[in-house]
Amino acid sequence: MSKFYLTTPIYYVNDQPHLGHAYTTIAADVLARYYRMKGDQVFFLTGTDEHGAKIAESAEKNKKTPQEWCDEMSARFKLAWDVLNISYDNFIRTTDQNHEQAVKKAITRLYQKGWIKKGLYEGLYCVGCERYYTTKELIDGRCPDHQRVPERVSEECYLFKLSAFQKPLLRLIDEKTLVIEPEKRKNEVVGFLKTEKLEDVSISRKRVQWGIPLPWDGSQTLYVWIDAFLNYLTGLGWDGEERVPELWPADLQLMAKDILRVHSTIWPALLLALEVPLPKKIFAHGFFTVNGQKMSKSLGNVLDPIEQAKNFSSDGLRWLLLSSFPFGVDGDVSLEKFYEKYKADLANGIGNLVARVLALATKLQLTNYKLKKEREWVKKIERVWRGYQRAMEKLAFEEVAKEILNFIALVDREINKKEPWRLLKTNLVEFQKVIYNLLESLRQLAWLIQPLMPETADKIFDQLGILSSEKKKNLEEAKEWGGVEFDKIKKGEILFPRL
């Protein structure tokens, strides 16, 4: 059995869950479900990042303690992921005691190894981002994300010797030991490392109380990014010592492009200093705009995933987000586009095909549908599966969706070609053979959509009367054409009602 460990970033609890968070998390969930279908040992980690000055400020503003505020906000993320059927194996919080204890041990090891030194840090600090910026990174002197002029901070702190890792990081990227995808994002990181000098980075703050105290200096708390990075190990049960969990290194770390730079510099440098293997692949997806504009509270265009799941159903939203544009690039969404795509792909596509086949299959309440294995037809299905699996394993979710839609078109054409409604009157034996192949096509369709739309897949299995038996199969068994008896078929509810 192969193992597959994947992570999303842990999300900052001061934010409400929005469609951007959902985009990364749904993508990770689709992959987790796909690799489980294949029979792999999958571990999928997500969670919340809960320390820092901004959280303490928000807690005070809301008349709560920082821990109470974190508990409340973290629960909102858990609720959103429940609504969206996110099948994580662990939801880590950086206020978890085992995480904090492991982090203390890890940074103590770094300190003892000489990777951390005391110094003075001067820089432009954005409280909203909980990070320092260089003047080149600012836009008109403001933080690009919060449109806020950063504070100029000068304070005594502890520094991680990031400057020592410039050449090693470039070499590791060149050797493909540190894999960054898509290619465009890798080139951006390489360009940065070749043109900008890595500076030693502050890992502690003196003025921030809501954080993990440094074990050797209780007057300082750990910088939130360092604390957050180590969740990828502590989420597997790592105790901060030299021995790492069996599932490490991560096979895939998913994130949005705005946090790629720190994940491709500070994060691997920390691992190298700790003598821990690097993740196998880091993948940074693009942003999406809403009606051509960046999501912003001030513009009132931040889309709530729970609200949109009510509009389109959980499965519908999962499909719409991942099929609208390629995963590695920027794209634009709108509710109007979502409504159009829901109607075309889901109501008129998947939903209509399932209803059409089941209506034919239940015409006479027959139960002895006979397999007629048509070689050319089966070859076409095998080609769909090959394209689907290639697309899934290169994270091309929009191509996965196209393969599914092509499959639906293929089955629709087969129905029109065989005209089972005529065979019903003229050749009952042939009608039964045709219907069997159509029912088997629905079974295969349910497997194809299962990672993207798990609830809908189960509804199709249930309508075919095979839910419990299909749940016991892996993907290779599921792809075998024929051999399933369809004797408990029923018309179910409309899968995707018109909106």
Side-chain angles (χ1 to χ4, degrees):
M1 181 188 289
S2 300
K3 66 95 178 170
F4 190 77
Y5 173 39
L6 78 158
T7 72
T8 68
I10 50 173
Y11 301 111
Y12 197 48
V13 291
N14 234 39
D15 298 326
Q16 294 277 6
H18 58 64
L19 226 51
H21 300 129
Y23 187 52
T24 314
T25 313
I26 291 168
D29 186 64
V30 168
L31 290 168
R33 290 176 183 274
Y34 169 72
Y35 282 99
R36 288 189 196 114
M37 268 171 43
K38 288 182 68 181
D40 290 350
Q41 178 192 0
V42 172
F43 196 95
F44 167 22
L45 178 70
T46 189
T48 44
D49 178 7
E50 304 186 12
H51 289 128
K54 191 177 176 185
I55 289 169
E57 285 177 14
S58 296
E60 187 177 355
K61 195 182 296 182
N62 286 275
K63 297 181 171 56
K64 297 179 188 292
T65 67
Q67 188 64 61
E68 287 171 341
W69 180 244
C70 289
D71 291 346
E72 180 181 317
M73 297 300 285
S74 183
R76 296 186 187 190
F77 278 90
K78 277 195 167 182
L79 174 62
W81 300 162
D82 286 347
V83 168
L84 292 172
N85 277 317
I86 304 302
S87 61
Y88 55 79
D89 294 283
N90 188 17
F91 185 100
I92 189 170
R93 300 177 56 186
T94 56
T95 52
D96 291 342
Q97 284 301 304
N98 59 344
H99 170 80
E100 291 192 1
Q101 293 306 313
V103 167
K104 285 179 180 179
K105 287 181 185 176
I107 59 169
T108 299
R109 284 172 55 212
L110 290 173
Y111 184 61
Q112 290 169 346
K113 284 171 176 276
W115 289 113
I116 292 173
K117 64 181 182 181
K118 195 167 188 179
L120 186 71
Y121 194 87
E122 292 185 299
L124 299 166
Y125 185 76
C126 174
V127 174
C129 297
E130 298 275 7
R131 62 162 284 195
Y132 289 95
Y133 279 93
T134 66
T135 51
K136 286 184 180 180
E137 292 174 306
L138 301 176
I139 297 175
D140 297 326
R142 296 175 180 271
C143 160
D145 288 334
H146 295 89
Q147 299 301 306
R148 182 188 295 183
V149 176
E151 302 174 43
R152 179 159 289 282
V153 173
S154 176
E155 63 178 0
E156 189 179 74
C157 65
Y158 288 88
L159 301 166
F160 172 60
K161 297 178 182 178
L162 182 63
S163 58
F165 293 93
Q166 187 132 17
K167 287 181 180 177
L169 288 173
L170 275 168
R171 186 183 70 253
L172 291 166
I173 294 170
D174 185 56
E175 293 171 351
K176 295 185 170 54
T177 303
L178 177 57
V179 177
I180 301 167
E181 292 183 356
E183 185 76 11
K184 180 181 178 183
R185 303 293 170 221
K186 182 198 86 170
N187 292 339
E188 288 171 359
V189 172
V190 170
F192 169 75
L193 286 170
K194 285 183 175 178
T195 58
E196 299 288 331
K197 186 177 183 299
L198 287 183
E199 303 284 349
D200 293 342
V201 62
S202 170
I203 65 143
S204 68
R205 298 292 310 277
K206 203 163 190 174
R207 298 183 298 168
V208 178
Q209 297 302 307
W210 182 241
I212 299 174
L214 294 187
W216 63 89
D217 186 344
S219 69
Q220 303 251 350
T221 55
L222 189 63
Y223 181 45
V224 65
W225 272 103
I226 306 301
D227 165 19
F229 281 137
L230 293 172
N231 94 91
Y232 301 127
L233 286 158
T234 62
L236 288 174
W238 184 56
D239 62 3
E241 302 288 356
E242 291 184 21
R243 188 173 180 182
V244 294
E246 186 183 343
L247 279 171
W248 187 265
D251 293 87
L252 178 66
Q253 295 203 263
L254 285 180
M255 64 202 64
K257 65 180 184 179
D258 60 330
I259 56 173
L260 173 62
R261 186 175 292 177
V262 289
H263 273 85
S264 52
T265 53
I266 302 173
W267 170 226
L270 284 172
L271 291 173
L272 291 170
L274 287 165
E275 299 178 42
V276 170
L278 300 183
K280 293 179 184 177
K281 184 185 292 185
I282 292 172
F283 191 102
H285 64 74
F287 288 158
F288 55 76
T289 51
V290 179
N291 290 316
Q293 294 178 306
K294 185 177 178 181
M295 276 200 298
S296 160
K297 288 179 186 175
S298 60
L299 292 173
N301 66 348
V302 176
L303 297 179
D304 179 350
I306 295 177
E307 197 63 37
Q308 298 314 316
K310 290 177 186 173
N311 289 338
F312 300 105
S313 79
S314 170
D315 276 8
L317 183 60
R318 288 166 65 102
W319 174 275
L320 295 170
L321 277 175
L322 290 189
S323 66
S324 292
F325 54 86
F327 187 59
V329 302
D330 294 343
D332 186 65
V333 300
S334 69
L335 291 182
E336 290 77 13
K337 289 176 187 173
F338 277 177
Y339 279 109
E340 289 169 14
K341 194 164 179 55
Y342 176 97
K343 181 180 177 183
D345 294 359
L346 303 180
N348 294 347
I350 293 169
N352 183 62
L353 175 65
V354 173
R356 190 181 185 193
V357 171
L358 292 177
L360 287 164
T362 53
K363 276 282 188 205
L364 296 181
Q365 296 301 319
L366 298 172
T367 58
N368 56 337
Y369 297 109
K370 297 175 184 176
L371 171 62
K372 181 182 179 184
K373 199 162 185 176
E374 298 181 15
R375 186 169 294 175
E376 286 306 310
W377 176 248
V378 174
K379 280 184 179 177
K380 289 177 182 178
I381 307 304
E382 288 172 349
R383 280 198 295 272
V384 169
W385 273 114
R386 283 195 297 272
Y388 170 97
Q389 289 192 253
R390 275 197 306 270
M392 190 70 82
E393 288 170 21
K394 66 178 185 178
L395 280 63
F397 301 113
E398 85 294 349
E399 290 181 25
V400 170
K402 283 175 187 172
E403 290 289 353
I404 293 168
L405 294 175
N406 288 342
F407 178 84
I408 291 164
L410 187 69
V411 180
D412 271 329
R413 287 195 297 272
E414 183 74 358
I415 296 172
N416 295 336
K417 176 184 171 185
K418 295 292 174 65
E419 297 185 326
W421 52 89
R422 291 186 186 275
L423 294 173
L424 183 61
K425 299 173 184 176
T426 61
N427 189 338
L428 195 56
V429 172
E430 189 63 24
F431 171 80
Q432 289 172 274
K433 291 177 180 177
V434 169
I435 293 298
Y436 184 93
N437 275 342
L438 294 178
L439 292 171
E440 175 66 357
S441 297
L442 290 192
R443 186 185 73 84
Q444 300 257 339
L445 173 63
W447 276 93
L448 285 163
I449 67 171
Q450 195 171 41
L452 285 93
M453 295 186 285
E455 286 186 354
T456 306
D458 282 356
K459 286 177 185 177
I460 295 172
F461 288 141
D462 187 51
Q463 289 171 341
L464 294 173
I466 57 172
L467 179 59
S468 60
S469 60
E470 292 302 298
K471 285 290 187 183
K472 298 172 185 174
K473 294 179 180 176
N474 63 35
L475 185 56
E476 287 309 306
E477 293 167 332
K479 284 158 56 179
E480 284 293 317
W481 186 268
V484 177
E485 291 185 9
F486 300 106
D487 54 9
K488 295 177 183 175
I489 301 160
K490 60 186 177 185
K491 282 186 187 177
E493 60 186 87
I494 296 171
L495 295 179
F496 294 102
R498 297 188 186 281
L499 302 179

